[in-house]
């Protein structure tokens, strides 16, 4: 698998024990660098973005309290008072919010006393209704509470309120439209990204007609809904806060690509593939995947993917209509055909691999040729060129720019 | 996962199909009525520990046996919030074999929403031949009852659906939840012609046709 080739991160990842001392010293150094970036006037936001993206992210919740606001270009000197609780009954989304927050027990640390958790749940309801009340153009969606709870747990109620409001009018804005049309449009980036990296996986998924809804909760909760370890969630939030709003969809693509073997072994039908992909593994190599997502973003930037994403819908419709017809008349078995092709290809690859050094396997695969460029600029320079480019795009992005190019 | 994909059974033959048949059932209804609990209860045999809001569509399945035939029942558990319905859920209406409407007996609003859910099915061009059932959930909460059996039965009759009142939570009701989905499965199995076998990845399953001698109303449950 391509992603497992990343020696540079694997050897030093905070997620494995090897090189622990090495990581400890680099962690210390990183904390120093973050403190330095925060201490200058004006604050070195570009440096903070790099820190949030690079290995380990922002390291501690204490640092997050200081850095997350900077990543959203916010001044937190004068925080507003605690949001009033009197909004409740009157708000149109009150009942839905209440329903979703009351049953979001899993988002709170296990072992937290019930009364403490219940207090936080009340605060969570207040924050959500406060933001919605002040921004009538924003509409609550199920999953929004999964994002807000993360900010509440890291930042506390007052700071979370202002950050969530800013985030809701920027990164999350499209999800909060009256309809989910824009969200659907963003999901349409997923398959073209996958296709660029691994056309085989793309074709298989298209054949299965799995759609992209398996990634919906990933996207609109920034993976907060599906990851059970809070440390992984905040690590991803570091990354997403520092990046372009479309980065979560690149990360979704990277997860699918990381599981390419499983996907291709799966039965080629909607239910099986949907089921497989929606069950997200809890032990993902996050640092590697983050780095990979950054690489993909640089290589296939949203501007390049926008046209294909816009074409997704019409293509899907046309393709499936054709396939319906074909299948109904011939009772084809597309997946056995795909599997046979895959076996044939695997045999050919095995031959090729025998002549190649194990190190170069990914490159030797005919299907993986497009990855050569990636591998070269990849993880060894993750904190260099790629991260810098990601940071620069994040600084420049304008909300909905891409979406308006191809309405 | 059981696989018999390499077989090339003719679907129109008179012999029972050799491949595992798949019954695809979609579960819909207002947010919080207990769709996730019901489907979980059927597939896992117990009430889930903690359930959260369903975002988009969740999928569960269970292999059952009817008259010696193994059948895969696929339950598509959908988000209740309206904004997910329009652009997100329609993909999952394709090739659906049966629909389970769920309301909460302690929540009159969820019962009043049923016509909208029925309308949604109609908009996704589900024909009358697709079996539908109505499930009133949370029967264990007797004190908060807001929807009486009589009014629910009347509604069910007017839409030619059998009504089941149950509780996904009540441990004594395990057989009942099971029986509800088994009733649907039996109904689907008895339908002719046997067009339920899906080629995996198939987009081209023909709609089920009701056998001529079967009356829609005649398959109500005895509860």
């Amino acid at each position: 698998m391509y992603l497992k080739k990343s020696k540079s991160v694997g050897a030093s990842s905070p997620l494995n024990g090897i090189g622990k001392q090495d990581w400890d010293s680099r962690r210390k150094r990183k904390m120093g660098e973050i403190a330095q970036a925060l201490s200058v006037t004006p604050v070195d936001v570009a440096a903070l973005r790099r820190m949030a993206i690079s290995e380990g992210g922002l390291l501690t919740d204490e640092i997050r309290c200081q850095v997350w606001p900077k990543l959203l270009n916010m001044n937190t000197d004068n925080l507003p008072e605690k949001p009033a609780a009197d909004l409740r009954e009157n708000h149109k989304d009150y009942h839905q919010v209440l329903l979703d927050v009351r049953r979001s027990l899993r988002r709170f640390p296990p072992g937290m006393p019930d009364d403490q958790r219940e207090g936080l749940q009340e605060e969570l309801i207040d924050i959500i209704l406060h933001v919605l009340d002040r921004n009538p153009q924003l509409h609550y969606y199920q999953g929004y509470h999964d994002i807000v709870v993360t900010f509440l747990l890291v930042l506390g109620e007052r700071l979370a309120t202002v950050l969530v409001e800013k985030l809701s009018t920027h990164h999350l804005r499209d999800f909060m439209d009256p309809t989910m049309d824009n969200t659907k449009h963003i999901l349409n980036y997923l398959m073209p990204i996958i296709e660029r990296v691994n056309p085989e996986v793309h074709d298989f998924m298209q054949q299965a007609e799995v759609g992209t809804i398996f990634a919906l909760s990933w996207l609109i909760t920034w993976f907060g809904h599906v990851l059970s370890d809070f440390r992984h969630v905040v690590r991803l939030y570091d990354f997403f806060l520092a990046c372009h709003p479309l980065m979560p969809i690149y990360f979704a693509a990277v997860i699918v690509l990381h599981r390419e073997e499983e996907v291709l072994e799966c039965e080629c039908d909607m239910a099986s593939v949907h089921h497989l992909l929606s069950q997200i593994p809890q032990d993902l190599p996050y640092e590697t995947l983050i780095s990979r997502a950054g690489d993909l973003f640089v290589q296939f930037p949203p501007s390049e993917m926008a046209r294909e994403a816009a074409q997704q819908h019409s293509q899907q419709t046309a393709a499936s209509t054709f396939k319906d017809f074909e299948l109904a008349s011939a009772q084809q078995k597309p997946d056995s055909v795909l599997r046979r092709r895959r076996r044939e290809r695997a045999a050919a690859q095995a031959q090729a691999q025998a002549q190649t050094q194990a190190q170069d396997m990914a490159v030797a695969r005919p299907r993986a040729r497009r990855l050569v460029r990636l591998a070269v600029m990849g993880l060894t320079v993750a904190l260099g060129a790629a991260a810098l480019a990601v940071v620069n795009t994040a600084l420049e992005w304008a909300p909905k720019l891409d979406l308006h190019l191809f309405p | 996962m059981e696989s018999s994909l390499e077989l090339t059974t003719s679907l129109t033959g008179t012999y029972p199909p050799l491949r595992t048949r798949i019954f695809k059932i979609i579960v819909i209804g207002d947010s919080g009525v207990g769709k996730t609990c019901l489907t979980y209860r059927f597939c896992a045999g117990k009430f889930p520990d903690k359930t959260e809001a369903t975002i988009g569509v969740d999928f569960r399945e269970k292999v059952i046996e009817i008259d010696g035939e193994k059948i895969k029942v696929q339950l598509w558990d959908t988000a209740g919030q309206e904004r997910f319905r329009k652009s997100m859920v329609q993909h999952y209406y394709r090739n659906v074999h049966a629909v389970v409407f769920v309301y909460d007996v302690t929540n009159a609003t969820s019962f009043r929403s049923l016509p909208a859910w029925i309308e949604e099915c109609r908009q996704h061009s589900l024909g009358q031949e697709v079996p539908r059932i109505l499930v009133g959930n949370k029967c264990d909460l007797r004190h908060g009852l807001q929807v009486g059996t009589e009014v629910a039965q009347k509604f069910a009759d007017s839409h030619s659906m059998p009504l089941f009142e149950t509780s996904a939570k009540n441990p004594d009701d395990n057989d009942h939840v099971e029986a509800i989905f088994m009733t649907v499965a039996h109904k689907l199995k008895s339908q002719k012609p046997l067009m339920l076998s899906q080629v995996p990845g198939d987009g081209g399953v023909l709609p089920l046709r009701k056998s001529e001698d079967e009356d829609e109303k005649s398959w109500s449950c005895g509860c």
Side-chain angles (χ1 to χ4, degrees):
Chain A
M1 202 176 293
Y2 315 136
L3 296 171
K4 288 182 182 162
K5 303 286 168 205
S6 49
K7 278 194 307 175
S8 58
V9 160
S12 58
S13 165
L15 297 174
N16 67 33
I18 313 161
K20 189 172 180 303
Q21 268 191 331
D22 189 30
W23 167 243
D24 280 346
S25 66
R26 272 181 302 129
R27 184 185 155 96
K28 260 189 205 134
R29 194 172 68 225
K30 188 171 188 180
M31 288 173 103
E33 285 169 349
I34 294 171
Q36 167 66 25
L38 281 167
S39 67
V40 294
T41 317
V43 167
D44 188 350
V45 176
L48 293 176
R49 283 186 197 282
R50 281 200 301 279
M51 301 295 155
I53 295 168
S54 64
E55 185 185 7
L58 294 173
L59 306 171
T60 70
D61 284 357
E62 211 172 13
I63 296 176
R64 290 185 174 101
C65 287
Q66 294 177 277
V67 175
W68 280 6
K70 307 294 177 212
L71 295 177
L72 292 172
N73 298 320
M74 295 188 69
N75 184 350
T76 52
D77 292 342
N78 293 309
L79 288 179
E81 285 307 303
K82 186 175 151 61
D86 59 357
L87 293 167
R88 295 211 162 185
E89 303 292 339
N90 302 324
H91 198 277
K92 68 174 168 61
D93 288 317
Y94 170 67
H95 288 288
Q96 187 72 59
V97 172
L98 192 72
L99 190 63
D100 294 342
V101 170
R102 291 272 154 86
R103 53 184 170 164
S104 67
L105 305 179
R106 258 193 282 201
R107 301 278 84 83
F108 297 90
M112 177 183 274
D114 283 355
D115 51 349
Q116 189 186 353
R117 190 203 67 232
E118 284 159 14
L120 286 166
Q121 284 177 303
E122 293 304 307
E123 291 181 358
L124 183 53
I125 296 169
D126 288 341
I127 297 174
I128 293 172
L129 292 177
H130 174 81
V131 172
L132 293 174
D133 188 61
R134 282 167 51 96
N135 300 273
Q137 79 280 17
L138 301 180
H139 300 264
Y140 175 76
Y141 62 89
Q142 290 188 301
Y144 183 67
H145 66 297
D146 286 317
I147 289 205
V148 180
V149 74
T150 307
F151 285 89
L152 174 64
L153 290 174
V154 172
L155 306 173
E157 186 178 17
R158 286 179 72 196
L159 196 48
T161 306
V162 287
L163 252 75
V164 163
E165 182 166 9
K166 179 87 172 218
L167 195 73
S168 304
T169 50
H170 289 81
H171 291 65
L172 310 179
R173 179 62 190 85
D174 283 314
F175 312 145
M176 306 192 74
D177 269 347
T179 71
M180 302 287 278
D181 290 348
N182 269 340
T183 304
K184 197 177 177 189
H185 179 78
I186 293 170
L187 282 171
N188 282 343
Y189 279 75
L190 184 65
M191 294 309 290
I193 299 170
I194 292 171
E195 184 178 25
R196 295 297 177 96
V197 182
N198 191 330
E200 190 182 3
V201 170
H202 170 270
D203 294 350
F204 186 88
M205 289 171 69
Q206 292 290 62
Q207 192 79 60
E209 300 192 311
V210 64
T212 50
I213 305 299
F214 67 84
L216 174 65
S217 75
W218 304 357
L219 176 68
I220 66 180
T221 72
W222 281 8
F223 297 84
H225 187 74
V226 287
L227 299 181
S228 48
D229 191 329
F230 193 67
R231 286 170 306 174
H232 299 153
V233 176
V234 289
R235 170 66 188 100
L236 284 181
Y237 278 41
D238 292 340
F239 178 48
F240 295 145
L241 281 166
C243 293
H244 188 284
L246 285 174
M247 188 57 89
I249 203 73
Y250 284 80
F251 195 78
V254 163
I255 290 184
V256 174
L257 291 163
H258 174 69
R259 305 180 71 193
E260 58 169 13
E261 292 293 335
E262 284 174 87
V263 173
L264 294 172
E265 290 299 327
C266 190
E267 284 184 46
C268 188
D269 68 281
M270 182 171 93
S272 305
V273 183
H274 177 98
H275 188 57
L276 174 79
L277 288 173
S278 56
Q279 306 294 312
I280 205 164
Q282 294 295 322
D283 57 347
L284 291 168
Y286 292 92
E287 297 300 331
T288 309
L289 298 183
I290 283 171
S291 183
R292 168 67 67 173
D295 285 344
L296 289 187
F297 186 91
V298 174
Q299 244 207 329
F300 313 118
S303 54
E304 197 180 315
M305 309 308 291
R307 185 180 299 272
E308 285 166 66
Q311 285 167 349
Q312 279 285 304
H313 182 66
S314 51
Q315 272 180 0
Q316 266 169 12
T317 315
S320 60
T321 311
F322 174 70
K323 208 163 80 65
D324 282 356
F325 170 73
E326 192 182 48
L327 281 171
S329 53
Q331 289 298 341
Q332 294 275 352
K333 297 229 176 53
D335 86 313
S336 51
V337 175
L338 275 179
R339 281 183 178 196
R340 194 180 62 239
R341 285 197 205 135
R342 186 167 144 65
R343 277 198 298 272
E344 288 164 1
R345 206 157 39 230
Q349 277 168 11
Q351 262 189 327
Q353 280 169 6
Q355 301 159 352
T356 321
Q357 287 189 340
Q359 205 65 36
D360 300 331
M361 264 163 58
V363 184
R365 291 179 169 193
R367 287 284 190 165
R369 206 160 285 149
R370 293 168 210 220
L371 278 176
V372 174
R373 192 153 58 108
L374 262 187
V376 172
M377 67 180 284
L379 302 169
T380 49
V381 289
L383 308 190
L388 196 65
V390 171
V391 166
N392 288 340
T393 347
L395 294 173
E396 289 159 11
W397 70 270
K400 300 181 110 180
L401 180 66
D402 295 317
L403 305 182
H404 283 169
L405 290 175
F406 304 99
Chain B
M1 201 177 286
E2 188 169 337
S3 170
S4 41
L5 303 172
E6 307 299 326
L7 299 172
T8 50
T9 320
S10 162
L11 293 177
T12 49
T14 47
Y15 297 102
L18 296 173
R19 283 183 284 140
T20 308
R21 288 201 285 171
I22 295 169
F23 292 170
K24 179 176 172 182
I25 301 170
I26 193 166
V27 182
I28 59 181
D30 273 9
S31 200
V33 296
K35 299 180 291 295
T36 301
C37 292
L38 273 174
T39 55
Y40 187 92
R41 178 97 197 212
F42 174 66
C43 293
K46 57 183 182 192
F47 188 69
D49 197 17
K50 299 166 187 166
T51 55
E52 296 180 272
T54 301
I55 296 174
V57 179
D58 274 348
F59 168 83
R60 292 180 187 86
E61 72 180 354
K62 179 176 183 174
V63 177
I64 57 167
E65 206 173 305
I66 302 179
D67 305 334
E69 184 190 346
K70 279 207 166 70
I71 291 169
K72 210 182 263 180
V73 176
Q74 294 184 341
L75 299 180
W76 293 86
D77 171 23
T78 61
Q81 196 190 8
E82 194 179 353
R83 66 194 343 268
F84 289 103
R85 317 297 310 182
K86 258 199 179 146
S87 33
M88 294 296 170
V89 175
Q90 85 241 87
H91 189 67
Y92 298 89
Y93 269 96
R94 295 180 56 200
N95 311 322
V96 155
H97 298 127
V99 184
V100 175
F101 295 96
V102 187
Y103 68 96
D104 171 357
V105 297
T106 68
N107 178 352
T109 310
S110 71
F111 183 73
R112 283 197 295 268
S113 299
L114 288 170
W117 291 107
I118 290 170
E119 173 62 16
E120 179 177 291
C121 281
R122 201 191 57 77
Q123 282 173 2
H124 289 98
S125 1
L126 287 193
Q128 275 306 310
E129 70 284 352
V130 174
R132 292 139 212 258
I133 65 165
L134 182 60
V135 175
N137 193 26
K138 308 195 188 178
C139 275
D140 54 307
L141 306 172
R142 288 179 216 287
H143 297 302
L145 189 75
Q146 288 188 2
V147 185
T149 305
E150 241 171 74
V151 62
Q153 187 63 58
K154 217 166 156 187
F155 180 84
D157 288 346
S158 70
H159 290 88
S160 310
M161 295 189 275
L163 169 72
F164 298 84
E165 287 183 323
T166 193
S167 162
K169 192 172 188 177
N170 191 339
D172 303 331
D173 266 3
N174 201 27
D175 291 346
H176 196 216
V177 172
E178 170 114 1
I180 292 171
F181 288 102
M182 289 302 279
T183 307
V184 180
H186 274 282
K187 168 75 175 172
L188 289 172
K189 190 170 184 292
S190 69
Q191 283 189 324
K192 304 165 205 172
L194 297 171
M195 287 307 297
L196 286 165
S197 290
Q198 274 191 305
V199 178
D202 185 357
V205 171
L206 299 176
L208 283 164
R209 237 184 318 123
K210 194 177 57 168
S211 68
E212 284 137 39
D213 55 353
E214 220 165 7
D215 176 15
E216 266 305 312
K217 288 199 178 188
S218 69
W219 71 291
S220 309
C221 71
C223 72

